[in-house]
Amino acid sequence: MATYSSSENKLVLKIVYYGPALSGKTTNLMQLHSQLRPQRKGELMALETRDDRTLFFDMLPIGLRSEGGLDLRVKLYTVPGQVQHDSTRKAVLSRADGAIFVADSQLNQQDNNAFAFDNLAANLQKLGMDIEQLPLAVQFNKRDRQDAIEEHKLRARWSSTPWAPLTLASALNGQGVVESFRQLLGRLYPAVDAEFALARDHAIDSQAFIQNLSATGGPSNA
Amino acid sequence: MRNYEDDFALDDLLSPAHQARLLELLGKLSGASFALNAHDDGASRPLEFNLDTLGWLKAELPAEQHQAAVRLYELVLFYAGKYRLAANLHHDATEASYLELQQKHAAVQASEEKYKQLAQRLTQQVEEQVRVIKKAQQELYESARLRAVGQLAAGIAHEINTPIGFIGSNLRVANDYLDELEASLPDSHETAMLFEDFHALLDESSSGTKRIARIVSDLKTFSNIDQADFAACDINALITTACRLIQAEQNQVLPLSLRLGELPEVAGYPAKLSQAFYNVLDNATKSLEAGGQIRVASRVQDNALEVLIEDEGCGMPDDILARAFEPFFTTRDVGAGSGLGLSVTRDILVAHRGEVRMESRLGEGTCVTLRIPVN
Ligand SMILES: Nc1nc2c(ncn2[C@@H]2O[C@H](COP(=O)(O)OP(=O)(O)OP(=O)(O)O)[C@@H](O)[C@H]2O)c(=O)[nH]1
Ligand SMILES: [Mg+2]
């Protein structure tokens, strides 16, 4: 849940990268860290990894300051995908404002994708949230793999869900990562605007919100 | 509660002692003196952690060295922050797991309680069923026994009636013959004595036959041989029969007084009502070991017909009184009674929409009231 502090005029949003083990959540965050040029960007914190696998979480803070002086922060988290870390996963997911589900395109990972997606829904419910209500983008990563499930099959499978269209990515090569993030920002904006009147009180419309937080270069990188 | 992702203040990441130590070490390394301020005073540089400015580092140093000192400080903060975040996350996750465990535990307890109650209810139902079955069995047994006794009594009564009839009339004829014989013989003291004895003998036999005839007729009443199952009952007649029967069974004259009031006829099962009166009288008789009276009275009271059977026998304490109506409950020696008497009596009265009341005082006696409503 977003927290707004009126004394500091500071709004903090939380976005969580969720998905099965080894699907590329940490890789997504590392790519964002190197590709994004938002107004403000902190250090990428990887808390505890063993053999490249997240044990606690990764976190990347980014932010912007509006002309009206709003200090808008977005904290990006990844959860540990391994099944046994469910209580950590749930703790990281708590109070999320939006999520990006990173699925693994490899054919033999489809069961794990489904299992992780169910786990996301179940954990949201335990935390008092509803997967149908939460702003959520679904990314199929590792499109570069030979054994990746075919795109038309994926699109057909997801077309009738609230999360279509999917985004496709090859995070290792830096492709599709920013696009997925932008899609999520687009789905997140209406909820945040409804609660905190971003457009009315802070002159931040959807376009400014997305552009400023996901800029990859150019003038906003002042 | 602080959340693991809350933004930290400097003191959350480094203790004041460590902050002082760090400044001291930076000072020794650079040869300048450092100070940490909450606000910018123009000669300070910001210390940043996760986009937040946690303090301002002041030093009299060239810009490059000043900046390096800030970077070094921030590096320490970065690792301290990682530790803090991990520790807070661990705390949050543990607390959440514990909460979930507690909820599960509560749920398990609730369902355990539910099953316990269910088990209790089932046990109660089973006990209830067992009770019903036992009672039905008992009634079956009792009615079968009554029928058997009734049939036996009917058979005996029928077999005895005829011979007792002709024995009676033969005795009368024999008496007449004796008169004739006496008249035809010469008068002498011896013969007079002989005939007197002879007459007394025949009279005694005659009254004996009459007694047998009466018992036979009582038995017939008691076993309901002559009557339809459900009939208009003369309660006083049934009481009298039961009293006579109990006297005959005891083989002695009981100290029994009857005070029977005027009663309307009631519809009922005569044989069963007789059995009820008999059972209560039987108990009264058996309580009289140390002497005393039995008083039997009947009357109409509050739209009900009441039969009171009162004895001056041994009585009973409250705990036994409370259990007196239980089937098989008896204070007598095993074999002396089935212990069914009062429970059967009550069942019979209940079958007549009536009731049995019992009062007793240990050592003073017992009074049983049988009430049958008059419609
Ligand atoms: N071929 C290919 N490999 C990828 C891609 N993205 C990530 N990987 C590899 O997949 C492995 C796991 O990536 P991570 O980003 O650590 O996965 P994760 O989802 O964070 O895994 P957990 O922390 O265990 O949940 C690494 O070896 C990555 O290099 C991709 O787009 N294509
Ligand atoms: Mg990871």
Side-chain angles (χ1 to χ4, degrees), chain B residues 104-139:
Chain B
K104 276 185 191 156
H105 181 66
V108 166
Q109 271 187 329
S111 79
E112 198 178 89
E113 181 59 28
K114 218 174 68 195
Y115 281 114
K116 222 158 78 187
Q117 282 175 0
L118 186 71
Q120 263 170 9
R121 261 209 315 280
L122 283 177
T123 312
Q124 269 173 13
Q125 280 172 2
V126 168
E127 276 168 4
E128 177 73 10
Q129 291 297 319
V130 167
R131 215 178 56 74
V132 168
I133 290 169
K134 251 191 187 160
K135 184 157 179 262
Q137 233 172 15
Q138 195 46 54
E139 280 171 2

Side-chain angles (χ1 to χ4, degrees), chain A residues 22-27 52 54 81 141-142 144-145 170-172:
Chain A
L22 296 178
S23 65
K25 301 176 290 296
T26 300
T27 309
D52 254 6
T54 306
N141 187 31
K142 303 196 185 176
D144 56 291
R145 294 281 307 218
S170 177
L172 194 61

Side-chain angles (χ1 to χ4, degrees), chain B residues 20-315:
Chain B
R21 185 91 188 283
L22 201 49
L23 291 186
E24 185 196 325
L25 292 172
L26 285 172
K28 277 192 179 147
L29 281 173
S30 64
S33 76
F34 281 86
L36 202 56
N37 299 323
H39 302 285
D40 184 16
D41 63 355
S44 307
R45 284 171 177 269
L47 283 179
E48 292 207 346
F49 173 77
N50 275 356
L51 304 183
D52 276 324
T53 301
L54 300 188
W56 296 83
L57 194 65
K58 181 176 172 149
E60 302 285 331
L61 277 175
E64 208 173 340
Q65 268 177 289
H66 195 170
Q67 185 64 16
V70 167
R71 291 282 171 265
L72 188 61
Y73 206 119
E74 284 179 345
L75 195 61
V76 172
L77 289 183
F78 182 75
Y79 280 95
K82 270 173 90 159
Y83 168 76
R84 223 9 332 130
L85 278 168
N88 288 359
L89 172 77
H90 177 72
H91 176 263
D92 281 7
T94 309
E95 201 158 320
S97 301
Y98 181 65
L99 217 74
E100 203 173 332
L101 206 66
Q102 273 183 323
Q103 281 164 355
K104 276 185 191 156
H105 181 66
V108 166
Q109 271 187 329
S111 79
E112 198 178 89
E113 181 59 28
K114 218 174 68 195
Y115 281 114
K116 222 158 78 187
Q117 282 175 0
L118 186 71
Q120 263 170 9
R121 261 209 315 280
L122 283 177
T123 312
Q124 269 173 13
Q125 280 172 2
V126 168
E127 276 168 4
E128 177 73 10
Q129 291 297 319
V130 167
R131 215 178 56 74
V132 168
I133 290 169
K134 251 191 187 160
K135 184 157 179 262
Q137 233 172 15
Q138 195 46 54
E139 280 171 2
L140 204 66
Y141 168 73
E142 197 60 23
S143 71
R145 200 177 67 128
L146 271 176
R147 221 174 14 253
V149 169
Q151 274 165 1
L152 188 66
I156 291 171
H158 183 77
E159 289 302 322
I160 289 177
N161 240 353
T162 321
I164 219 68
F166 62 72
I167 289 173
S169 72
N170 284 356
L171 283 172
R172 266 194 310 279
V173 174
N175 226 339
D176 292 348
Y177 284 162
L178 202 59
D179 284 341
E180 285 173 32
L181 199 61
E182 192 178 9
S184 68
L185 282 179
D187 232 357
S188 87
H189 181 63
E190 272 108 68
T191 39
M193 290 271 284
L194 193 85
F195 274 99
E196 196 179 324
D197 245 12
F198 209 154
H199 274 298
L201 219 96
L202 288 181
D203 286 344
E204 211 182 336
S205 303
S206 209
S207 77
T209 20
K210 277 183 199 138
R211 233 176 98 198
I212 294 174
R214 207 172 55 225
I215 291 174
V216 166
S217 113
D218 286 348
L219 265 178
K220 277 161 86 178
T221 312
F222 186 73
S223 58
N224 193 25
I225 294 162
D226 298 332
Q227 297 172 36
D229 249 9
F230 197 77
C233 306
D234 176 352
I235 298 293
N236 282 341
L238 296 178
I239 295 171
T240 314
T241 309
C243 287
R244 273 209 302 266
L245 211 64
I246 205 111
Q247 305 247 30
E249 191 165 277
Q250 292 293 308
N251 219 355
Q252 61 175 27
V253 179
L254 291 169
L256 200 153
S257 69
L258 278 173
R259 218 177 59 243
L260 303 177
E262 183 123 347
L263 302 180
E265 285 197 328
V266 290
Y269 301 91
K272 291 202 167 174
L273 287 171
S274 297
Q275 171 87 44
F277 300 143
Y278 179 89
N279 286 348
V280 179
L281 281 167
D282 191 42
N283 284 336
T285 309
K286 285 174 177 145
S287 77
L288 285 188
E289 271 165 3
Q293 290 272 325
I294 298 177
R295 280 187 299 277
V296 179
S298 67
R299 64 184 182 195
V300 175
Q301 182 100 1
D302 299 333
N303 230 7
L305 211 149
E306 279 188 0
V307 178
L308 296 101
I309 299 171
E310 200 173 351
D311 68 63
E312 299 173 343
C314 56

